[in-house]
Every structure is written in C-alpha cells, then in structure tokens.
Amino acid sequence: MEKMQFVCPKCGCHEFVQDQFQATGGTMAKLFDIQNKKFITISCEKCGYTEIYRAETSTGANILDFLIGS
C-alpha cells in the first residue's frame, strides 16, 4: 500500500491524524439506528483542517451493527 502524502491546503503542514466514523443514512437506517455510511477523516495536526472521505461498508458489518444495536 502506498504511503499517503498530505499537505494541508490551509497551512501547508505535512503532519496529520487519520480517523473514521459511521453514520446513518436513509429513513429505514435512521429508524433502526443502522450506521450504514462509513467515512474516513484526515485532520491537520497544526490547524485542525479536516477532509472527509466516503469509505465502503460491508453488508456483514451492516448486519452486525443491526444485531448489536450500537
């Protein structure tokens, strides 16, 4: 896998933190609290500027989320 080169468009810093979060999408997902949307965030260490990228979610992860109810 290729190492990611990050340059903050706001301050020019090369240091970053990567994280992720999941969110609900659509009426049925909201009703059953199924978090079927996954996003990756890249945040600048210096100024906090954050870019959000959509990521793939698997059907198995969506089913597990529904069964666990988290």
Side-chain angles (χ1 to χ4, degrees):
M1 187 170 159
E2 188 177 320
K3 184 165 173 93
M4 190 165 117
Q5 295 290 325
F6 175 79
V7 178
C8 178
K10 191 172 177 182
C11 72
C13 180
H14 291 271
E15 302 293 321
F16 67 94
V17 175
Q18 180 178 332
D19 206 355
Q20 67 180 12
F21 68 91
Q22 290 186 266
T24 60
T27 306
M28 293 304 286
K30 290 176 186 174
L31 182 64
F32 291 105
D33 193 27
I34 300 171
Q35 299 181 347
N36 60 346
K37 306 288 183 190
K38 184 177 180 181
F39 300 92
I40 303 219
T41 63
I42 306 295
S43 299
C44 176
E45 284 272 344
K46 184 176 180 182
C47 72
Y49 174 84
T50 302
E51 294 179 346
I52 300 174
Y53 298 93
R54 196 174 349 178
E56 296 292 320
T57 58
S58 68
T59 303
N62 292 337
I63 292 170
L64 186 60
D65 181 53
F66 175 74
L67 294 174
I68 293 174
S70 55

